[in-house]
mmCIF file of all heavy atoms in Angstrom:
data_model
loop_
_atom_site.group_PDB
_atom_site.id
_atom_site.type_symbol
_atom_site.label_atom_id
_atom_site.label_comp_id
_atom_site.label_asym_id
_atom_site.label_seq_id
_atom_site.Cartn_x
_atom_site.Cartn_y
_atom_site.Cartn_z
ATOM 1 N N LEU A 88 16.061 -9.238 -45.794
ATOM 2 C CA LEU A 88 16.699 -7.966 -45.426
ATOM 3 C C LEU A 88 16.811 -7.031 -46.629
ATOM 4 O O LEU A 88 17.460 -5.979 -46.559
ATOM 5 C CB LEU A 88 18.120 -8.227 -44.906
ATOM 6 C CG LEU A 88 18.292 -8.755 -43.491
ATOM 7 C CD1 LEU A 88 19.752 -9.119 -43.248
ATOM 8 C CD2 LEU A 88 17.850 -7.717 -42.469
ATOM 9 N N ASP A 89 16.256 -7.472 -47.771
ATOM 10 C CA ASP A 89 16.345 -6.689 -49.012
ATOM 11 C C ASP A 89 17.760 -6.557 -49.544
ATOM 12 O O ASP A 89 18.111 -5.544 -50.152
ATOM 13 C CB ASP A 89 15.769 -5.278 -48.813
ATOM 14 C CG ASP A 89 14.269 -5.282 -48.954
ATOM 15 O OD1 ASP A 89 13.757 -6.149 -49.685
ATOM 16 O OD2 ASP A 89 13.626 -4.433 -48.312
ATOM 17 N N VAL A 90 18.585 -7.561 -49.284
ATOM 18 C CA VAL A 90 19.942 -7.553 -49.854
ATOM 19 C C VAL A 90 19.839 -8.079 -51.286
ATOM 20 O O VAL A 90 19.331 -9.176 -51.501
ATOM 21 C CB VAL A 90 20.880 -8.457 -49.024
ATOM 22 C CG1 VAL A 90 22.239 -8.601 -49.686
ATOM 23 C CG2 VAL A 90 21.021 -7.896 -47.614
ATOM 24 N N PRO A 91 20.280 -7.301 -52.265
ATOM 25 C CA PRO A 91 20.041 -7.716 -53.649
ATOM 26 C C PRO A 91 21.118 -8.603 -54.279
ATOM 27 O O PRO A 91 20.853 -9.273 -55.280
ATOM 28 C CB PRO A 91 19.947 -6.387 -54.398
ATOM 29 C CG PRO A 91 20.700 -5.406 -53.565
ATOM 30 C CD PRO A 91 20.741 -5.903 -52.157
ATOM 31 N N TYR A 92 22.341 -8.595 -53.740
ATOM 32 C CA TYR A 92 23.454 -9.329 -54.363
ATOM 33 C C TYR A 92 24.143 -10.223 -53.339
ATOM 34 O O TYR A 92 24.144 -9.920 -52.138
ATOM 35 C CB TYR A 92 24.524 -8.358 -54.905
ATOM 36 C CG TYR A 92 24.112 -7.590 -56.126
ATOM 37 C CD1 TYR A 92 23.374 -6.404 -56.014
ATOM 38 C CD2 TYR A 92 24.491 -8.016 -57.405
ATOM 39 C CE1 TYR A 92 23.004 -5.677 -57.144
ATOM 40 C CE2 TYR A 92 24.125 -7.291 -58.532
ATOM 41 C CZ TYR A 92 23.390 -6.126 -58.394
ATOM 42 O OH TYR A 92 23.022 -5.413 -59.517
ATOM 43 N N CYS A 93 24.783 -11.288 -53.820
ATOM 44 C CA CYS A 93 25.545 -12.164 -52.934
ATOM 45 C C CYS A 93 26.744 -12.749 -53.685
ATOM 46 O O CYS A 93 26.583 -13.288 -54.783
ATOM 47 C CB CYS A 93 24.632 -13.298 -52.454
ATOM 48 S SG CYS A 93 25.427 -14.411 -51.297
ATOM 49 N N LEU A 94 27.942 -12.598 -53.121
ATOM 50 C CA LEU A 94 29.109 -13.266 -53.721
ATOM 51 C C LEU A 94 28.936 -14.770 -53.548
ATOM 52 O O LEU A 94 28.461 -15.227 -52.506
ATOM 53 C CB LEU A 94 30.417 -12.846 -53.027
ATOM 54 C CG LEU A 94 30.767 -11.357 -52.924
ATOM 55 C CD1 LEU A 94 32.188 -11.208 -52.369
ATOM 56 C CD2 LEU A 94 30.646 -10.656 -54.254
ATOM 57 N N VAL A 95 29.348 -15.510 -54.542
ATOM 58 C CA VAL A 95 29.267 -16.973 -54.472
ATOM 59 C C VAL A 95 30.588 -17.550 -54.982
ATOM 60 O O VAL A 95 31.044 -17.205 -56.077
ATOM 61 C CB VAL A 95 28.087 -17.495 -55.335
ATOM 62 C CG1 VAL A 95 28.138 -19.015 -55.458
ATOM 63 C CG2 VAL A 95 26.746 -17.071 -54.744
ATOM 64 N N GLY A 96 31.204 -18.398 -54.158
ATOM 65 C CA GLY A 96 32.379 -19.132 -54.636
ATOM 66 C C GLY A 96 33.657 -18.335 -54.726
ATOM 67 O O GLY A 96 34.520 -18.618 -55.568
ATOM 68 N N HIS A 97 33.815 -17.321 -53.854
ATOM 69 C CA HIS A 97 35.109 -16.641 -53.811
ATOM 70 C C HIS A 97 36.197 -17.687 -53.569
ATOM 71 O O HIS A 97 35.979 -18.668 -52.853
ATOM 72 C CB HIS A 97 35.100 -15.590 -52.694
ATOM 73 C CG HIS A 97 36.306 -14.713 -52.744
ATOM 74 N ND1 HIS A 97 37.524 -15.119 -52.250
ATOM 75 C CD2 HIS A 97 36.497 -13.466 -53.250
ATOM 76 C CE1 HIS A 97 38.409 -14.155 -52.452
ATOM 77 N NE2 HIS A 97 37.811 -13.137 -53.051
ATOM 78 N N SER A 98 37.369 -17.466 -54.118
ATOM 79 C CA SER A 98 38.434 -18.488 -54.006
ATOM 80 C C SER A 98 38.796 -18.780 -52.550
ATOM 81 O O SER A 98 39.215 -19.890 -52.227
ATOM 82 C CB SER A 98 39.670 -18.057 -54.785
ATOM 83 O OG SER A 98 40.182 -16.860 -54.252
ATOM 84 N N GLU A 99 38.606 -17.787 -51.675
ATOM 85 C CA GLU A 99 38.884 -18.053 -50.247
ATOM 86 C C GLU A 99 37.842 -19.005 -49.664
ATOM 87 O O GLU A 99 38.156 -19.823 -48.805
ATOM 88 C CB GLU A 99 38.929 -16.723 -49.473
ATOM 89 C CG GLU A 99 40.191 -15.938 -49.827
ATOM 90 C CD GLU A 99 40.042 -14.426 -49.769
ATOM 91 O OE1 GLU A 99 39.079 -13.925 -49.164
ATOM 92 O OE2 GLU A 99 40.904 -13.736 -50.359
ATOM 93 N N ARG A 100 36.612 -18.926 -50.116
ATOM 94 C CA ARG A 100 35.576 -19.877 -49.690
ATOM 95 C C ARG A 100 35.895 -21.270 -50.241
ATOM 96 O O ARG A 100 35.739 -22.271 -49.564
ATOM 97 C CB ARG A 100 34.185 -19.464 -50.202
ATOM 98 C CG ARG A 100 33.668 -18.114 -49.773
ATOM 99 C CD ARG A 100 33.261 -18.009 -48.347
ATOM 100 N NE ARG A 100 32.662 -19.179 -47.797
ATOM 101 C CZ ARG A 100 32.510 -19.384 -46.472
ATOM 102 N NH1 ARG A 100 32.908 -18.468 -45.601
ATOM 103 N NH2 ARG A 100 31.961 -20.480 -46.026
ATOM 104 N N ARG A 101 36.339 -21.308 -51.482
ATOM 105 C CA ARG A 101 36.673 -22.604 -52.086
ATOM 106 C C ARG A 101 37.852 -23.236 -51.340
ATOM 107 O O ARG A 101 37.831 -24.422 -51.007
ATOM 108 C CB ARG A 101 37.058 -22.419 -53.567
ATOM 109 C CG ARG A 101 35.917 -21.950 -54.471
ATOM 110 C CD ARG A 101 36.486 -21.645 -55.861
ATOM 111 N NE ARG A 101 35.509 -21.082 -56.778
ATOM 112 C CZ ARG A 101 34.833 -21.779 -57.680
ATOM 113 N NH1 ARG A 101 34.999 -23.074 -57.775
ATOM 114 N NH2 ARG A 101 33.995 -21.177 -58.505
ATOM 115 N N GLU A 102 38.865 -22.415 -51.060
ATOM 116 C CA GLU A 102 40.093 -22.961 -50.480
ATOM 117 C C GLU A 102 39.962 -23.290 -48.989
ATOM 118 O O GLU A 102 40.361 -24.362 -48.550
ATOM 119 C CB GLU A 102 41.244 -21.966 -50.696
ATOM 120 C CG GLU A 102 42.566 -22.528 -50.206
ATOM 121 C CD GLU A 102 43.737 -21.580 -50.418
ATOM 122 O OE1 GLU A 102 43.569 -20.556 -51.120
ATOM 123 O OE2 GLU A 102 44.815 -21.857 -49.861
ATOM 124 N N TYR A 103 39.398 -22.384 -48.200
ATOM 125 C CA TYR A 103 39.393 -22.579 -46.734
ATOM 126 C C TYR A 103 38.128 -23.268 -46.230
ATOM 127 O O TYR A 103 38.097 -23.734 -45.108
ATOM 128 C CB TYR A 103 39.540 -21.235 -46.015
ATOM 129 C CG TYR A 103 40.731 -20.423 -46.451
ATOM 130 C CD1 TYR A 103 40.608 -19.060 -46.701
ATOM 131 C CD2 TYR A 103 41.994 -21.016 -46.610
ATOM 132 C CE1 TYR A 103 41.702 -18.301 -47.105
ATOM 133 C CE2 TYR A 103 43.079 -20.268 -47.020
ATOM 134 C CZ TYR A 103 42.924 -18.909 -47.272
ATOM 135 O OH TYR A 103 44.001 -18.171 -47.673
ATOM 136 N N PHE A 104 37.073 -23.258 -47.021
ATOM 137 C CA PHE A 104 35.808 -23.811 -46.535
ATOM 138 C C PHE A 104 35.280 -24.930 -47.437
ATOM 139 O O PHE A 104 34.111 -25.302 -47.357
ATOM 140 C CB PHE A 104 34.775 -22.690 -46.360
ATOM 141 C CG PHE A 104 35.257 -21.612 -45.416
ATOM 142 C CD1 PHE A 104 35.865 -20.460 -45.903
ATOM 143 C CD2 PHE A 104 35.162 -21.778 -44.037
ATOM 144 C CE1 PHE A 104 36.361 -19.482 -45.044
ATOM 145 C CE2 PHE A 104 35.655 -20.809 -43.169
ATOM 146 C CZ PHE A 104 36.256 -19.654 -43.667
ATOM 147 N N GLY A 105 36.158 -25.427 -48.288
ATOM 148 C CA GLY A 105 35.842 -26.623 -49.075
ATOM 149 C C GLY A 105 34.671 -26.485 -50.029
ATOM 150 O O GLY A 105 33.961 -27.455 -50.281
ATOM 151 N N GLU A 106 34.438 -25.299 -50.560
ATOM 152 C CA GLU A 106 33.307 -25.141 -51.477
ATOM 153 C C GLU A 106 33.667 -25.665 -52.866
ATOM 154 O O GLU A 106 34.576 -25.171 -53.515
ATOM 155 C CB GLU A 106 32.874 -23.666 -51.526
ATOM 156 C CG GLU A 106 32.386 -23.189 -50.167
ATOM 157 C CD GLU A 106 31.682 -21.844 -50.188
ATOM 158 O OE1 GLU A 106 31.621 -21.196 -51.249
ATOM 159 O OE2 GLU A 106 31.196 -21.443 -49.121
ATOM 160 N N THR A 107 32.955 -26.673 -53.292
ATOM 161 C CA THR A 107 33.213 -27.292 -54.598
ATOM 162 C C THR A 107 32.303 -26.681 -55.660
ATOM 163 O O THR A 107 31.324 -25.997 -55.342
ATOM 164 C CB THR A 107 32.895 -28.796 -54.525
ATOM 165 O OG1 THR A 107 31.489 -28.910 -54.192
ATOM 166 C CG2 THR A 107 33.718 -29.508 -53.464
ATOM 167 N N ASN A 108 32.627 -26.971 -56.902
ATOM 168 C CA ASN A 108 31.774 -26.492 -58.003
ATOM 169 C C ASN A 108 30.331 -26.955 -57.805
ATOM 170 O O ASN A 108 29.387 -26.224 -58.105
ATOM 171 C CB ASN A 108 32.297 -27.006 -59.346
ATOM 172 C CG ASN A 108 33.620 -26.351 -59.724
ATOM 173 O OD1 ASN A 108 33.990 -25.315 -59.172
ATOM 174 N ND2 ASN A 108 34.332 -26.964 -60.657
ATOM 175 N N GLU A 109 30.181 -28.168 -57.286
ATOM 176 C CA GLU A 109 28.836 -28.714 -57.098
ATOM 177 C C GLU A 109 28.072 -27.937 -56.010
ATOM 178 O O GLU A 109 26.905 -27.561 -56.195
ATOM 179 C CB GLU A 109 28.945 -30.194 -56.728
ATOM 180 C CG GLU A 109 27.612 -30.901 -56.771
ATOM 181 C CD GLU A 109 27.697 -32.312 -56.205
ATOM 182 O OE1 GLU A 109 28.817 -32.828 -55.996
ATOM 183 O OE2 GLU A 109 26.616 -32.871 -55.949
ATOM 184 N N ILE A 110 28.746 -27.694 -54.880
ATOM 185 C CA ILE A 110 28.102 -26.906 -53.817
ATOM 186 C C ILE A 110 27.722 -25.526 -54.368
ATOM 187 O O ILE A 110 26.634 -25.000 -54.119
ATOM 188 C CB ILE A 110 29.051 -26.752 -52.602
ATOM 189 C CG1 ILE A 110 29.238 -28.114 -51.906
ATOM 190 C CG2 ILE A 110 28.548 -25.688 -51.619
ATOM 191 C CD1 ILE A 110 30.303 -28.115 -50.812
ATOM 192 N N LEU A 111 28.632 -24.959 -55.162
ATOM 193 C CA LEU A 111 28.392 -23.605 -55.673
ATOM 194 C C LEU A 111 27.249 -23.563 -56.680
ATOM 195 O O LEU A 111 26.546 -22.556 -56.764
ATOM 196 C CB LEU A 111 29.682 -23.036 -56.266
ATOM 197 C CG LEU A 111 30.786 -22.899 -55.204
ATOM 198 C CD1 LEU A 111 32.101 -22.485 -55.829
ATOM 199 C CD2 LEU A 111 30.372 -21.916 -54.112
ATOM 200 N N SER A 112 27.047 -24.656 -57.393
ATOM 201 C CA SER A 112 25.898 -24.668 -58.310
ATOM 202 C C SER A 112 24.609 -24.563 -57.494
ATOM 203 O O SER A 112 23.654 -23.895 -57.889
ATOM 204 C CB SER A 112 25.916 -25.904 -59.215
ATOM 205 O OG SER A 112 25.366 -27.009 -58.558
ATOM 206 N N GLY A 113 24.615 -25.176 -56.297
ATOM 207 C CA GLY A 113 23.454 -25.081 -55.406
ATOM 208 C C GLY A 113 23.286 -23.671 -54.857
ATOM 209 O O GLY A 113 22.161 -23.165 -54.739
ATOM 210 N N LYS A 114 24.407 -23.018 -54.539
ATOM 211 C CA LYS A 114 24.311 -21.656 -54.006
ATOM 212 C C LYS A 114 23.789 -20.685 -55.066
ATOM 213 O O LYS A 114 22.977 -19.808 -54.774
ATOM 214 C CB LYS A 114 25.687 -21.188 -53.501
ATOM 215 C CG LYS A 114 26.150 -21.941 -52.274
ATOM 216 C CD LYS A 114 27.309 -21.243 -51.582
ATOM 217 C CE LYS A 114 27.698 -22.048 -50.348
ATOM 218 N NZ LYS A 114 28.495 -21.285 -49.392
ATOM 219 N N VAL A 115 24.289 -20.855 -56.289
ATOM 220 C CA VAL A 115 23.804 -19.996 -57.379
ATOM 221 C C VAL A 115 22.298 -20.197 -57.544
ATOM 222 O O VAL A 115 21.526 -19.238 -57.628
ATOM 223 C CB VAL A 115 24.545 -20.334 -58.705
ATOM 224 C CG1 VAL A 115 23.854 -19.688 -59.899
ATOM 225 C CG2 VAL A 115 25.997 -19.888 -58.631
ATOM 226 N N ALA A 116 21.880 -21.458 -57.546
ATOM 227 C CA ALA A 116 20.457 -21.766 -57.772
ATOM 228 C C ALA A 116 19.586 -21.173 -56.665
ATOM 229 O O ALA A 116 18.539 -20.576 -56.931
ATOM 230 C CB ALA A 116 20.263 -23.278 -57.860
ATOM 231 N N ILE A 117 20.033 -21.309 -55.416
ATOM 232 C CA ILE A 117 19.183 -20.832 -54.320
ATOM 233 C C ILE A 117 19.141 -19.298 -54.283
ATOM 234 O O ILE A 117 18.112 -18.698 -53.961
ATOM 235 C CB ILE A 117 19.581 -21.471 -52.970
ATOM 236 C CG1 ILE A 117 18.376 -21.472 -52.029
ATOM 237 C CG2 ILE A 117 20.772 -20.809 -52.324
ATOM 238 C CD1 ILE A 117 18.378 -22.574 -51.007
ATOM 239 N N CYS A 118 20.236 -18.651 -54.663
ATOM 240 C CA CYS A 118 20.209 -17.185 -54.786
ATOM 241 C C CYS A 118 19.139 -16.777 -55.799
ATOM 242 O O CYS A 118 18.324 -15.882 -55.539
ATOM 243 C CB CYS A 118 21.568 -16.654 -55.263
ATOM 244 S SG CYS A 118 22.791 -16.505 -53.970
ATOM 245 N N LEU A 119 19.153 -17.440 -56.947
ATOM 246 C CA LEU A 119 18.200 -17.077 -58.002
ATOM 247 C C LEU A 119 16.765 -17.366 -57.569
ATOM 248 O O LEU A 119 15.853 -16.587 -57.857
ATOM 249 C CB LEU A 119 18.552 -17.807 -59.299
ATOM 250 C CG LEU A 119 19.876 -17.345 -59.934
ATOM 251 C CD1 LEU A 119 20.266 -18.263 -61.088
ATOM 252 C CD2 LEU A 119 19.786 -15.895 -60.412
ATOM 253 N N THR A 120 16.579 -18.459 -56.829
ATOM 254 C CA THR A 120 15.236 -18.793 -56.344
ATOM 255 C C THR A 120 14.673 -17.652 -55.498
ATOM 256 O O THR A 120 13.491 -17.338 -55.569
ATOM 257 C CB THR A 120 15.292 -20.079 -55.488
ATOM 258 O OG1 THR A 120 15.760 -21.132 -56.307
ATOM 259 C CG2 THR A 120 13.927 -20.448 -54.918
ATOM 260 N N TYR A 121 15.540 -17.030 -54.689
ATOM 261 C CA TYR A 121 15.060 -15.963 -53.806
ATOM 262 C C TYR A 121 15.257 -14.565 -54.395
ATOM 263 O O TYR A 121 15.140 -13.563 -53.689
ATOM 264 C CB TYR A 121 15.698 -16.093 -52.419
ATOM 265 C CG TYR A 121 15.085 -17.274 -51.688
ATOM 266 C CD1 TYR A 121 15.739 -18.495 -51.625
ATOM 267 C CD2 TYR A 121 13.805 -17.180 -51.147
ATOM 268 C CE1 TYR A 121 15.149 -19.595 -51.006
ATOM 269 C CE2 TYR A 121 13.205 -18.270 -50.534
ATOM 270 C CZ TYR A 121 13.875 -19.470 -50.466
ATOM 271 O OH TYR A 121 13.277 -20.545 -49.875
ATOM 272 N N GLY A 122 15.628 -14.497 -55.664
ATOM 273 C CA GLY A 122 15.710 -13.201 -56.320
ATOM 274 C C GLY A 122 16.955 -12.406 -55.985
ATOM 275 O O GLY A 122 16.988 -11.183 -56.145
ATOM 276 N N LEU A 123 17.993 -13.103 -55.504
ATOM 277 C CA LEU A 123 19.279 -12.426 -55.277
ATOM 278 C C LEU A 123 20.136 -12.606 -56.521
ATOM 279 O O LEU A 123 20.083 -13.664 -57.153
ATOM 280 C CB LEU A 123 20.036 -13.098 -54.129
ATOM 281 C CG LEU A 123 19.501 -12.950 -52.719
ATOM 282 C CD1 LEU A 123 20.061 -14.074 -51.851
ATOM 283 C CD2 LEU A 123 19.925 -11.612 -52.144
ATOM 284 N N THR A 124 20.939 -11.612 -56.843
ATOM 285 C CA THR A 124 21.865 -11.766 -57.962
ATOM 286 C C THR A 124 23.181 -12.332 -57.445
ATOM 287 O O THR A 124 23.872 -11.676 -56.661
ATOM 288 C CB THR A 124 22.136 -10.397 -58.627
ATOM 289 O OG1 THR A 124 20.903 -9.886 -59.108
ATOM 290 C CG2 THR A 124 23.128 -10.525 -59.774
ATOM 291 N N PRO A 125 23.545 -13.553 -57.853
ATOM 292 C CA PRO A 125 24.836 -14.075 -57.416
ATOM 293 C C PRO A 125 25.984 -13.458 -58.214
ATOM 294 O O PRO A 125 25.859 -13.281 -59.427
ATOM 295 C CB PRO A 125 24.727 -15.583 -57.698
ATOM 296 C CG PRO A 125 23.649 -15.742 -58.700
ATOM 297 C CD PRO A 125 22.770 -14.524 -58.645
ATOM 298 N N VAL A 126 27.053 -13.120 -57.515
ATOM 299 C CA VAL A 126 28.287 -12.709 -58.192
ATOM 300 C C VAL A 126 29.202 -13.929 -58.109
ATOM 301 O O VAL A 126 29.807 -14.197 -57.072
ATOM 302 C CB VAL A 126 28.930 -11.477 -57.514
ATOM 303 C CG1 VAL A 126 30.232 -11.095 -58.217
ATOM 304 C CG2 VAL A 126 27.955 -10.299 -57.488
ATOM 305 N N PHE A 127 29.208 -14.693 -59.183
ATOM 306 C CA PHE A 127 29.887 -15.992 -59.172
ATOM 307 C C PHE A 127 31.373 -15.818 -59.485
ATOM 308 O O PHE A 127 31.740 -15.295 -60.534
ATOM 309 C CB PHE A 127 29.241 -16.921 -60.207
ATOM 310 C CG PHE A 127 29.951 -18.235 -60.322
ATOM 311 C CD1 PHE A 127 29.771 -19.221 -59.359
ATOM 312 C CD2 PHE A 127 30.829 -18.487 -61.380
ATOM 313 C CE1 PHE A 127 30.448 -20.432 -59.443
ATOM 314 C CE2 PHE A 127 31.495 -19.702 -61.471
ATOM 315 C CZ PHE A 127 31.314 -20.668 -60.497
#
Side-chain angles (χ1 to χ4, degrees):
L88 283 172
D89 277 332
V90 173
Y92 288 84
C93 183
L94 305 188
V95 170
H97 189 281
S98 62
E99 288 149 17
R100 301 288 324 164
R101 294 173 185 263
E102 184 179 350
Y103 306 135
F104 303 96
E106 297 192 356
T107 61
N108 291 343
E109 191 188 348
I110 291 172
L111 297 174
S112 83
K114 292 195 179 198
V115 167
I117 205 152
C118 279
L119 292 171
T120 299
Y121 287 100
L123 290 159
T124 300
V126 179
F127 176 77

